[in-house]
Amino acid sequence: MLASTAQAEPVELTGQAVQGGVLFGQAPAGSEVTWNDLVLPISDEGRFVFGLSKDATASTTLKVRLPDGKDWEKKITPTVREFEIQRIDGLDQSRVTPPPEVMERIANDAYLARKARETISEHVAFDEPFIWPVKGRITGVYGAQRILNGEPRAPHWGVDIAAPTGTPVMAPAAGIVALVHKDMYFSGGTLFIDHGHGLMSAFLHLDDIHVEAGEWVDQGQFVASVGSTGRSTGPHLDWRVSWRDVRVDAQLLVEGVD
């Protein structure tokens, strides 16, 4: 956990300075913020956010030009984590190695998801503690190397939460619905919620979706139902979070499962 900087500091940071972590900043109103040579959006109140990738190891510098013209800097060095290896068998093999006739569909799904993740909105719905969208047994975690039907595949980017089909899924934080798709090839029923400044939640394998693209949702609002659609061996919610094109660990945004 990255504790708040000293009270005398003009900029405060909270969050997890680890691989896959999300850092939340508070600077004086009117500041300019740059991280890793990227100019970050900052709210009128001085709020900003950025994420660290699963493979981040190098130190980077957060730079803030304060309203009085002075510069403030902080070096960010992510803590290295160990990630699991997870074997999943019993999947429909066509969902592991798709046939040629579905490749165009898969490419279109990926395009829609990528375009949604490119949204950089001005609102700061991320500026509240996140809650679990559903509670249940954790069956998959961020960063785990997936071996599907004996074949190595990309790391898992979400946290899998087992729950019966039809279990309500609640918005973990407020935001704007950025994508609704009833049937993506791999992720089945898919919903994206934009929490602001590039921070985006995705909910996969849904049985039903109860909101529409462009709709504002409040934290705790019933937005979807757990399912087992797409590439899935049983009913569960795969909750993923990204910051821009960086996949971060949703589980680090919440305190724990009750």
Side-chain angles (χ1 to χ4, degrees):
M1 174 70 70
L2 183 66
S4 297
T5 51
Q7 190 172 11
E9 293 280 356
V11 180
E12 295 183 355
L13 287 177
T14 58
Q16 304 270 8
V18 301
Q19 292 175 325
V22 180
L23 299 176
F24 301 91
Q26 174 69 65
S31 297
E32 298 176 1
V33 182
T34 303
W35 174 73
N36 204 21
D37 296 324
L38 176 68
V39 177
L40 301 183
I42 183 169
S43 73
D44 291 342
E45 298 76 29
R47 300 293 293 159
F48 61 93
V49 63
F50 62 99
L52 304 174
S53 75
K54 169 185 174 292
D55 299 318
T57 56
S59 297
T60 55
T61 302
L62 178 69
K63 301 179 180 180
V64 180
R65 174 65 57 87
L66 301 170
D68 61 5
K70 295 181 180 179
D71 292 322
W72 179 93
E73 295 187 359
K74 183 175 182 64
K75 182 174 289 188
I76 306 294
T77 304
T79 299
V80 175
R81 302 167 62 184
E82 292 188 6
F83 296 102
E84 298 180 6
I85 296 176
Q86 185 179 27
R87 298 178 184 273
I88 301 177
D89 297 313
L91 290 166
D92 180 342
Q93 189 59 32
S94 68
R95 301 284 177 166
V96 178
T97 306
E101 59 267 25
V102 300
M103 297 309 293
E104 183 176 350
R105 175 185 170 188
I106 291 171
N108 186 63
D109 289 348
Y111 170 79
L112 293 174
R114 184 172 64 253
K115 293 299 291 183
R117 286 195 297 269
E118 289 174 357
T119 303
I120 310 295
S121 54
E122 295 183 357
H123 69 83
V124 289
F126 61 80
D127 195 18
E128 61 181 337
F130 280 59
I131 63 173
W132 283 97
V134 67
K135 294 184 179 180
R137 182 170 58 92
I138 301 298
T139 57
V141 295
Y142 169 90
Q145 172 64 56
R146 284 283 175 90
I147 301 178
L148 308 179
N149 290 357
E151 300 179 23
R153 287 294 185 266
H156 187 237
W157 296 121
V159 53
D160 288 339
I161 311 164
T165 296
T167 300
V169 175
M170 308 300 181
I176 298 173
V177 177
L179 175 66
V180 170
H181 198 297
K182 299 293 186 179
D183 186 24
M184 287 189 165
Y185 187 79
F186 287 123
S187 58
T190 303
L191 168 66
F192 281 29
I193 297 178
D194 162 29
H195 303 300
H197 290 202
L199 195 66
M200 185 85 62
S201 280
F203 310 92
L204 315 185
H205 311 299
L206 300 169
D207 184 63
D208 200 7
I209 300 171
H210 304 286
V211 292
E212 298 180 355
E215 181 178 344
W216 177 270
V217 297
D218 295 320
Q219 185 182 63
Q221 182 175 331
F222 176 31
V223 294
S225 302
V226 170
S228 186
T229 56
R231 187 168 67 185
S232 172
T233 58
H236 71 287
L237 177 67
D238 182 348
W239 175 32
R240 304 184 177 196
V241 175
S242 59
W243 175 75
R244 296 177 180 252
D245 62 351
V246 176
R247 308 299 185 92
V248 295
D249 189 351
Q251 198 167 355
L252 296 179
L253 297 174
V254 288
E255 291 296 326
V257 178
D258 293 335

